[in-house]
Amino acid sequence: MSKYYDEKIETLPKTELKELQLHRLQEVVERVYDTCPPYRKKMEKIGMKPTDITKLDDLNRLPFTTKQDLRDAYPFGMFSVPQSEIVRIHASSGTAGKLTVAGYTQNDLNIWSEVMARSLVAVGCTKESVVNVAYGYGLFTGGLGVHYGSELLGCMTVPVSSGNTKRQIQLLKDFGATVLCCTPSYALYLADEMQSEGLKASDFTLQQGIFGAEQWTQEMRREIQKKLGLKAYDIYGLSEIIGPGVSVECEHQHGSHIWEDHFLPEIIDSETLEGQPFDTKGELVFTTLTKTGMPLIRYRTRDITYLINSPCKCGRTSVRMGKIFGRNDDMLIIRGVNVFPSQIESALFTVEGVEPHYQIIIDRVNNLDVLEIQVELEDKLYSSGTKHLQKLRDLLEENITSAIGVGIMINFVEHGTIARSQGKAVRVIDKR
């Protein structure tokens, strides 16, 4: 077993894990209170001091951190160390020209590499794996996060980055890649391009796919696995917390294990801000327990999921998170109904012949929201006759309307009409 399977930590009894978390929570709260003015101000406002944290449940008394807090402190106001100790900057896209900036000390980079190496081991990677990193490199955390974890594990690491798809396919084949790391939408694009070049899954040596950076459904997973001949694993992360490697699925693919010795999770109701029990859907919140450059206390990710506390067959004792349903700030409100794109995707893929390329277009006509879904089909279906296509359209409209509670229109478009993504797919166009 790899040294990056930390059996002592990953199978730690719950009581011991909670003791470790409390100790690290007390340390990080004291650190931000002493070194980060925005946190000290928030805690003083509610009359709280670090010494008030005496048990793990006291986490609920601490104030939340939001993306707006990070924007207000742009660029370096949330750092908890002098700027001279920051060795790396990452950032995610923002509004009004402002990025959400994250600063990393060498300690943070070491932790990031370790949890990413753990994540690779969890999906079955070994020192013998050949890891093709097709996430983007740069301010986006995906490429470099996977890269350093892969190198720490000792894998042959191929830093291809995103784009240049023909070269990607050639290198996947020529270098004997066993692991593909990219967004799920780009994995499907690669599969289509392979097919157009007359290549089959059996022409490659891929075994595992590690896909993240965008929300994807179980139906999409099955499509990727079928087309690429690998086992597709979900990985989760965000630059504010650390990057990819916050959680990952194990071989059993029943929720993503959160590395709880570093990241303390909660689920809250987005409206009441009250904590929610296990297996209840809500907003995911994280507290970083070991970061030194820019620790975050109760950071609201806006991602909607649930936590699983039942035992996993792999033996790891950390809680797991379900697949992301969507973001509460990306939720669509159509004629007063809350709709997540993932609901539409799941309903689409229940019908045979639908390709995993679609786009949701929302418009307003005569003061009424109109929802159109453009869908590509398998080539053979376009010549199946008008009656068959109408029957297929009716079935899709019925399935989706039933799933989301809002009437929709299906529009079949020619193969290749919907733009393929080399990063995160653009699924929704809102014209309202």
Side-chain angles (χ1 to χ4, degrees):
M1 179 62 74
S2 166
K3 67 177 179 179
Y4 292 105
Y5 170 62
D6 190 337
E7 185 174 7
K8 182 180 178 182
I9 287 292
E10 294 181 45
T11 63
L12 204 61
K14 293 285 188 181
T15 52
E16 293 181 37
L17 177 59
K18 288 183 182 299
E19 288 174 8
L20 176 65
Q21 288 174 327
L22 173 60
H23 174 67
R24 289 181 170 179
L25 177 63
Q26 290 169 326
E27 286 185 335
V28 75
V29 171
E30 184 175 5
R31 185 183 311 129
V32 297
Y33 186 85
D34 291 341
T35 62
C36 184
Y39 274 122
R40 188 183 188 102
K41 185 177 179 180
K42 275 177 177 258
M43 291 179 66
E44 286 178 341
K45 188 175 179 179
I46 60 173
M48 220 181 155
K49 293 185 177 179
T51 50
D52 293 331
I53 304 296
T54 59
K55 57 187 183 299
L56 203 54
D57 286 346
D58 289 332
L59 174 70
N60 299 325
R61 301 171 58 194
L62 290 165
F64 291 101
T65 309
T66 66
K67 184 165 281 195
Q68 190 58 50
D69 291 324
L70 274 57
R71 289 173 180 151
D72 291 343
Y74 178 88
F76 304 143
M78 293 296 289
F79 290 178
S80 289
V81 295
Q83 195 171 321
S84 59
E85 293 184 32
I86 297 293
V87 299
R88 172 97 63 82
I89 292 289
H90 280 287
S92 59
S93 57
T95 58
K98 282 191 177 181
L99 298 171
T100 301
V101 176
Y104 298 70
T105 61
Q106 188 58 55
N107 168 77
D108 299 333
L109 294 184
N110 293 344
I111 289 170
W112 190 9
S113 298
E114 178 201 330
V115 295
M116 192 59 231
R118 272 195 214 175
S119 299
L120 288 162
V121 170
V123 305
C125 297
T126 70
K127 188 179 181 299
E128 308 304 317
S129 298
V130 179
V131 180
N132 188 94
V133 185
Y135 286 112
Y137 282 66
L139 287 176
F140 172 61
T141 53
L144 286 168
V146 177
H147 181 109
Y148 282 101
S150 175
E151 286 190 342
L152 185 63
L153 183 57
C155 306
M156 181 187 291
T157 307
V158 187
V160 187
S161 192
S162 57
N164 203 336
T165 302
K166 288 189 180 298
R167 185 183 65 175
Q168 292 266 8
I169 293 170
Q170 180 186 342
L171 296 184
L172 284 168
K173 194 169 184 294
D174 294 350
F175 291 179
T178 59
V179 186
L180 173 62
C181 305
C182 61
T183 62
S185 54
Y186 189 54
L188 285 170
Y189 181 41
L190 278 169
D192 284 351
E193 291 300 300
M194 289 173 184
Q195 186 177 26
S196 69
E197 292 185 19
L199 296 168
K200 305 182 297 295
S202 57
D203 294 320
F204 297 84
T205 51
L206 290 169
Q207 298 171 17
Q208 295 101 0
I210 304 176
F211 306 122
E214 63 184 11
Q215 167 236 321
W216 54 305
T217 61
Q218 296 289 0
E219 291 78 13
M220 199 169 182
R221 186 208 300 271
R222 286 192 283 270
E223 193 75 17
I224 291 171
Q225 292 186 155
K226 180 176 73 174
K227 289 188 171 185
L228 289 177
L230 47 68
K231 197 166 181 180
Y233 294 94
D234 205 355
I235 191 167
Y236 179 84
L238 61 168
S239 60
E240 298 95 319
I241 299 301
I242 206 162
V246 173
S247 73
V248 73
E249 290 180 316
C250 68
E251 61 186 289
H252 300 288
Q253 294 178 311
H254 181 55
S256 295
H257 291 272
I258 297 170
W259 304 125
E260 281 195 280
D261 51 323
H262 296 289
F263 314 109
L264 183 57
E266 303 172 73
I267 295 290
I268 64 166
D269 182 297
S270 296
E271 298 298 324
T272 66
L273 305 184
E274 293 295 320
Q276 300 297 297
F278 292 114
D279 302 313
T280 302
K281 189 164 67 172
E283 181 182 341
L284 182 62
V285 173
F286 274 113
T287 297
T288 61
L289 295 176
T290 52
K291 278 181 69 179
T292 51
M294 197 180 86
L296 292 181
I297 306 296
R298 304 194 80 191
Y299 182 71
R300 296 184 60 183
T301 68
R302 298 290 183 176
D303 289 323
I304 304 300
T305 185
Y306 58 95
L307 295 179
I308 306 164
N309 197 37
S310 57
C312 183
K313 292 177 183 177
C314 74
R316 293 177 178 87
T317 53
S318 58
V319 300
R320 309 187 301 283
M321 53 183 279
K323 288 188 77 66
I324 301 295
F325 292 97
R327 293 176 55 82
N328 59 15
D329 52 359
D330 287 345
M331 181 179 67
L332 308 172
I333 301 178
I334 301 168
R335 299 176 216 160
V337 177
N338 297 340
V339 176
F340 288 106
S342 60
Q343 294 173 287
I344 295 173
E345 181 176 299
S346 293
L348 273 175
F349 291 166
T350 59
V351 177
E352 191 174 348
V354 173
E355 289 282 280
H357 305 296
Y358 67 93
Q359 201 153 56
I360 302 164
I361 301 172
I362 312 159
D363 208 343
R364 187 160 286 152
V365 179
N366 297 326
N367 296 317
L368 182 68
D369 292 339
V370 177
L371 180 57
E372 175 194 358
I373 304 171
Q374 295 187 350
V375 182
E376 292 185 18
L377 302 174
E378 292 179 359
D379 288 338
K380 62 184 179 182
L381 291 179
Y382 289 105
S383 58
S384 61
T386 305
K387 285 186 178 180
H388 182 75
L389 286 175
Q390 185 58 50
K391 187 177 179 181
L392 190 60
R393 182 181 287 108
D394 291 343
L395 178 60
L396 284 168
E397 289 180 351
E398 181 183 341
N399 285 359
I400 296 170
T401 297
S402 176
I404 67 175
V406 175
I408 59 106
M409 296 182 298
I410 292 288
N411 183 17
F412 295 138
V413 297
E414 291 183 10
H415 185 79
T417 299
I418 295 169
R420 292 348 186 212
S421 172
Q422 297 182 2
K424 296 186 181 184
V426 179
R427 297 294 192 196
V428 180
I429 298 175
D430 194 338
K431 297 180 177 180
R432 292 174 293 184

